[in-house]
Amino acid sequence: SFAGAVNIGNGSFSVAALGNSGSNSQLGSSGNITLGGGGNSGQLTWTGNSETSDKVFTLGGSTGGGTISASTSGQTLTLTSALAGGSSTSNRTLTLAGAGNVAFSGLIGNGTGASGGVVSLTKIGAGNGYLSNAANSFTGVVLVKQGSLYVPSVGNIGFNSPLGAGDTISLGDSSNGGTLRTTNTVDETSDKVIVLAGTTGGGSITSNVVSQTAPSAVVTFTKDLSIVGTGAKIFGLASSSGTCGINFNGLIADGVGSVISLRVNGSGTGNFSLGNSANSFTGSVTLDGNTVNKATILNVASIGNVGSVSGIGKIGTVNLGSATADSDNILAHTGTGEVTDKVMNLAGTLGNGGVSQSGTGLLKFTSAMTATGLGAKSFILSGSTAGAGEFAGAIVDSASGATTLRKQGS
C-alpha cells in the first residue's frame, strides 16, 4: 500500500500486476512509474494475466530510455494514461517488448517544455504492440525490430497520428523481421518513409480488418522504399482476414549490397498494387496467398521484360501459388498493352496462379509457363476490361500433377 513513486533507474523489475492509481497493488498505490535514470535505461517486466492500468509511465533518464515488457504470450497489458516524456533535452526511446502484448492507448509525445528531447518508439520481441491514440505527437523514429505493431492509421509527416509526427517507419533488425499492421476502416494515403533496416531480416506491411463487418480500406504509401544494411531481404505486403489492400507507389530498388525480393500474400482477400513502373529491384517476386476460396491480387501498370525496370522489377520469373488448394494468386496488368517475355511459374503445390488483363490494348506473354510446384492446380487467365490477352507460350503440367486451364472474368 506504499504511496511513493516507483523508480526503475537501471536494470529490470518484475511484477505480475500493475494495478491502478490509488489502489493497493504490488507496485503500491502510487500512480507513477519512472523508467531510466541518467544515461541508463530501466525496464518494467510484466508477468501476469491481461489487465488495464491507468498508471503513468515517465522516461526519467537524461539519455537512457525505458522498456515495458509483457513476458507472457497471449496476455495483453493495456496502458491508458499519457506517457510523461520527462524534462531532459536529450533524445530517448520507449521500447515495447516481450512475448506478450503491450497496448498503449495514452498519448505519447516528446519531452516536456520547449527544449524537451525527441522520443522514439521501438518494438522488439515476438509479441504485439498496439498504438491507438491519434493525437500522438512524438517526432522520433518508429522501429519495428521484431513482432508486429498495430495502428488504426499511419498518418503523414509532421502531423499527429498513432505513429507520431515523425517521418520514418523502420522494419526489421539484423536477421529478424518486423511487421507494421494497419487496421484502417477508411482509405488513407501516407508520405511516411518505410525502411528495411535488417541485414537478412526483412519487413512487411499487413492490412488487417478490425472485424468481418468492418469496412475494407486501402492504405497507399507514396515515398520510395529505403534500404539500410547489406544482405538480401524480403519486402512483404499482406492481408489478414476480410477484404483489404495496400498500394505502394514509391520506388522499390536494391540497396548497396542488398538484393530486395517481393512477397505478396496473406489470409484475406488482398488487393495490392505497385504504382511505380521504374521499380528496379532484382530479387524474386512471389504471390502465395494461402486461404481457401480467397484471392490475392497484385496490380501493376507494367510487367516489362527480363532485365528491364517495371512494376515488378527486373526479375525474369513471377512465382504464383501456395500450398493451399482453391487459393488464387493473380498478377493483374492495369496499364496499356505490352508484350512481355517474363515467365509465369506455378510455384505452389496445390494453390492456383494466373494472370489478368485489367488494362487496355493487347497484353501478350511470349515465354512458356513453368510449374515447379508439384501437384495438381489451375492456371487462370482472366480479364475485366475491353483489353485483350494472349498467352503465346506453352502451358505445362508439373512433374507430378496436371495443370487445369481456367478462364474467368468478362
Side-chain angles (χ1 to χ4, degrees):
S1 61
F2 67 95
V6 174
N7 297 283
I8 307 173
N10 197 3
S12 178
F13 189 78
S14 297
V15 293
L18 264 65
N20 285 294
S21 177
S23 299
N24 294 345
S25 72
Q26 292 176 348
L27 290 175
S29 61
S30 171
N32 299 296
I33 303 171
T34 297
L35 302 176
N40 299 312
S41 295
Q43 175 171 316
L44 176 73
T45 300
W46 173 76
T47 63
N49 296 320
S50 294
E51 70 166 314
T52 299
S53 175
D54 65 358
K55 295 204 172 188
V56 176
F57 282 83
T58 299
L59 297 182
S62 57
T63 57
T67 297
I68 303 169
S69 178
S71 64
T72 306
S73 177
Q75 302 301 310
T76 300
L77 173 63
T78 301
L79 303 172
T80 61
S81 293
L83 177 74
S87 59
S88 171
T89 59
S90 299
N91 301 337
R92 285 155 299 160
T93 299
L94 172 66
T95 300
L96 308 181
N101 310 318
V102 180
F104 209 108
S105 61
L107 176 69
I108 303 175
N110 288 328
T112 57
S115 59
V118 170
V119 170
S120 295
L121 184 131
T122 295
K123 169 67 185 70
I124 60 174
N128 299 321
Y130 299 85
L131 300 179
S132 58
N133 198 313
N136 284 344
S137 57
F138 67 96
T139 57
V141 175
V142 174
L143 301 99
V144 188
K145 293 185 175 183
Q146 291 175 278
S148 295
L149 182 64
Y150 286 76
V151 290
S153 63
V154 178
N156 284 286
I157 298 171
F159 294 89
N160 296 346
S161 75
L163 289 168
D167 59 359
T168 302
I169 305 167
S170 180
L171 305 176
D173 176 57
S174 185
S175 61
N176 300 308
T179 301
L180 174 69
R181 294 183 180 268
T182 65
T183 59
N184 293 55
T185 56
V186 296
D187 293 347
E188 177 186 18
T189 298
S190 175
D191 63 357
K192 295 201 176 209
V193 177
I194 302 296
V195 178
L196 294 188
T199 50
T200 57
S204 61
I205 306 170
T206 297
S207 181
N208 293 66
V209 293
V210 177
S211 69
Q212 293 299 322
T213 59
S216 60
V218 175
V219 181
T220 299
F221 294 86
T222 62
K223 290 292 182 69
D224 296 346
L225 183 69
S226 178
I227 311 298
V228 177
T230 60
K233 37 195 168 276
I234 297 173
F235 180 45
L237 302 176
S239 64
S240 178
S241 72
T243 302
C244 41
I246 298 168
N247 299 332
F248 198 91
N249 293 340
L251 179 70
I252 304 175
D254 292 340
V256 177
S258 182
V259 172
I260 302 302
S261 295
L262 176 76
R263 184 184 184 191
V264 181
N265 68 354
S267 57
T269 297
N271 203 319
F272 306 91
S273 75
L274 300 180
N276 198 315
S277 293
N279 286 339
S280 59
F281 64 97
T282 59
S284 61
V285 174
T286 301
L287 282 66
D288 61 344
N290 57 6
T291 302
V292 175
N293 297 325
K294 299 288 188 180
T296 296
I297 302 171
L298 176 62
N299 299 280
V300 292
S302 68
I303 296 174
N305 287 295
V306 178
S308 66
V309 299
S310 72
I312 53 174
K314 294 183 175 183
I315 196 67
T317 299
V318 179
N319 298 308
L320 304 169
S322 69
T324 303
D326 297 321
S327 61
D328 295 344
N329 287 273
I330 306 295
L331 176 66
H333 180 268
T334 61
T336 57
E338 67 172 312
V339 177
T340 176
D341 63 357
K342 293 196 174 182
V343 175
M344 301 297 112
N345 175 42
L346 293 186
T349 53
L350 298 173
N352 308 316
V355 293
S356 174
Q357 164 58 307
S358 301
T360 61
L362 172 65
L363 172 63
K364 182 176 180 178
F365 293 84
T366 61
S367 295
M369 184 204 85
T370 57
T372 59
L374 303 181
K377 48 198 166 283
S378 294
F379 184 53
I380 302 166
L381 300 178
S382 65
S384 58
T385 65
E390 177 182 348
F391 201 91
I395 298 175
V396 301
D397 293 335
S398 73
S400 63
T403 296
T404 299
L405 181 63
R406 192 169 96 204
K407 170 65 176 68
Q408 64 186 33
S410 58

